[in-house]
Amino acid sequence: YELYKTFDVVANCSTITEAAKKLNISQPAVTKAIKNLEWQLNGSLFISHLLKNIHLTHCTIRDYCTWKKAHTV
């Protein structure tokens, strides 16, 4: 569950740094959580750019929207 919580926050932020601040954990911890989730799901979740901004991949956007609907109260 914590991996998905981290993913949810990262998906709504533009940088890992911003997500780490919101989660009150270190940047390496956020990166490790995302890498672990990507390993479990066998695919990339984000596209990283030179300016360190991150964006969801096209497949992730679709899957994230489905997951978010299922987990919204």
Side-chain angles (χ1 to χ4, degrees), residues 20-52:
K21 287 178 183 177
K22 286 187 177 190
L23 291 163
N24 199 31
I25 60 176
S26 69
Q27 282 180 265
V30 173
T31 300
K32 185 177 179 180
I34 295 302
K35 287 183 185 279
N36 286 341
L37 187 56
E38 287 178 331
W39 182 81
Q40 287 181 18
L41 298 174
N42 196 29
S44 296
L45 298 172
F46 295 96
I47 299 169
S48 181
H49 295 282
L50 293 175
L51 298 174
K52 302 293 182 190

Side-chain angles (χ1 to χ4, degrees), residues 38-69:
E38 287 178 331
W39 182 81
Q40 287 181 18
L41 298 174
N42 196 29
S44 296
L45 298 172
F46 295 96
I47 299 169
S48 181
H49 295 282
L50 293 175
L51 298 174
K52 302 293 182 190
N53 286 349
I54 54 174
H55 302 282
L56 294 169
T57 65
H58 291 291
C59 291
T60 307
I61 291 170
R62 181 195 65 227
D63 295 341
Y64 175 68
C65 290
T66 302
W67 178 84
K68 192 70 173 175
K69 285 180 188 176

Side-chain angles (χ1 to χ4, degrees), residues 3-17:
L3 294 178
Y4 288 98
K5 178 183 172 188
T6 301
F7 168 75
D8 187 40
V9 173
V10 173
N12 288 289
C13 293
S14 59
T15 65
I16 296 290
T17 302

